Amino acid sequence: MAGQGTPATALLAKRKITHRVHSYTHSDGRAYGPEAAVALELEPGRVFKTLVAEVDGALAVGIVPVDTTLDLKALAAAVGGKKARMADVAAAERATGYVAGGISPLGQKKRLATVLDTSALEWETVFCSAGRRGLEVELAPADLVALAGARTAAIAVRG
């Protein structure tokens, strides 16, 4: 489909990483991650959202399933920090180069400390934002870790 080029998809193509891009129509008022899972008929635990937090004054990325919440203390510990809070949306957009709701862990403007929840490793492929609202990329968790320069840790809380 035309018009799907983003820094994330460009990075995947440049590195010759096996992936598939999936698009869906976003409905205003719905959370992007859960909406993607429903629209693409996927298990919510297989679709990951990219969240930007501030850990001890520096930005960091947590990638967790859309049906979970980011455990800020666990994220802080995973990046060697003590205290974390969700980042200001404008700061997250500036650092990543993406618009909220379409922040991809891949192809960000600045390389931020990134942590992928360990539950991703349970799947052959996972889905995350391809860098635009309504656009998801499917790839192997190991490729996501390698391309995002991520580490894995238990950073998601269910319920």
Side-chain angles (χ1 to χ4, degrees):
M1 184 181 282
Q4 290 186 345
T6 67
T9 58
L11 177 65
L12 288 160
K14 180 180 178 185
R15 298 279 180 87
K16 296 180 172 45
I17 301 297
T18 301
H19 68 284
R20 289 184 59 204
V21 176
H22 303 267
S23 63
Y24 66 94
T25 302
H26 169 65
S27 304
D28 287 335
R30 295 193 61 187
Y32 296 98
E35 179 184 53
V38 170
L40 299 174
E41 300 179 359
L42 298 166
E43 292 273 340
R46 190 174 171 201
V47 181
F48 286 72
K49 57 188 172 184
T50 306
L51 301 170
V52 181
E54 186 179 311
V55 179
D56 297 340
L59 294 180
V61 173
I63 310 166
V64 298
V66 299
D67 60 348
T68 67
T69 303
L70 175 61
D71 180 336
L72 290 167
K73 286 183 181 181
L75 176 65
V79 298
K82 291 184 169 73
K83 195 172 181 182
R85 66 178 182 85
M86 292 305 297
D88 175 68
V89 173
E93 291 178 340
R94 255 190 323 276
T96 63
Y98 293 114
V99 175
I103 294 177
S104 177
L106 305 172
Q108 295 180 356
K109 278 174 57 176
K110 290 184 181 175
R111 184 71 150 208
L112 303 175
T114 301
V115 182
L116 174 65
D117 185 66
T118 54
S119 67
L121 305 177
E122 299 167 10
W123 301 97
E124 188 176 319
T125 61
V126 294
F127 292 72
C128 65
S129 176
R132 184 175 300 144
R133 294 172 182 166
L135 201 62
E136 294 283 308
V137 64
E138 176 185 2
L139 73 166
D143 289 334
L144 177 56
V145 167
L147 283 177
R151 64 194 79 180
T152 58
I155 59 168
V157 178
R158 296 231 174 254

